[in-house]
Amino acid sequence: IYHTPELTPKDTKPDCAIAVDVLRATTTMATVLNAGAEAVQVFSDINQLMEVSENWPIEKRLRAGERGGSMVQGFDLGNSPLDCTPERVQGCRLFLTTTNGTRALKCVENAPTVLAAAFVNRAAVVKYLVEKQPETLWLVGSGWEGSFSLEDTACAGAIAHSLLTHLNCSEAELAGNDEVIGAIALYSQWQDRLLDMFHHASHGQRLLRLNCHEDLKYCAEIDILDVLPIQKEAGVLVKN
Ligand code: MLT
């Protein structure tokens, strides 16, 4: 588990990397693909997004994203998963840039398998991992501008906890992996109160100041979407 994109090693790559940005980028990605979008293409930079999306048919393109939690001016959508209704997104490509989540995906885009995970699609992610059993697996929390985030670490813990249960791993087998032990402990502490955890988290508080109460409630739902966003080419995720 790496707590921010900044902490991922630059000189090595895992068999499988999973980006986690519960509030809200990876929740939005799972939701938009579940609602019938053709793909999500992620960008760290607004200008690059504008340039690439310019070449896409206008009726099949949605420019989406936020800076500081608020919608980028002139875009079609912000980063609220609740805006991703089938009526709005069916058959479209979402061109998405966010403060941290899309950066986490860009930093692992060279791994052979790249997935996006949140609480809403935790079970779908774990099912894939149980089937494929990648030898090396990174869970990359998006954090906030380089710092630790409570909700991303707890979600990484939720994935690790469920995966280890499916694989019948004992606690002893985790010895030495402090980050996984810590993330599982965090998840165990909050698992029945995920929304409360968001209210304590710094980015949760930022979103509450922006009146995103309903987004927080939705992002706290667990295992509700049977959808696995998987990278098919660098920076482009589709439904598996
Ligand atoms: C991010 O990428 O930092 C987040 O998804 C921000 C947000 O809540 O929109």
Side-chain angles (χ1 to χ4, degrees), residues 3 53 67 71 89 105 115 134 156 161 171 184 224 226 231 235:
H3 294 299
S53 59
R67 285 295 179 269
M71 178 170 152
V89 306
L105 276 160
L115 310 174
H161 179 265
E171 241 178 27
I184 291 176
I224 55 163
D226 187 18
Q231 182 175 263

Side-chain angles (χ1 to χ4, degrees), residues 21 23-26 66 69 79 98-102 143-144 203 207:
D21 187 7
L23 298 176
R24 297 164 289 174
T26 53
E66 57 67 43
N79 185 29
T98 69
T99 314
N100 306 283
T102 54
W144 186 267
H203 188 49
L207 289 173

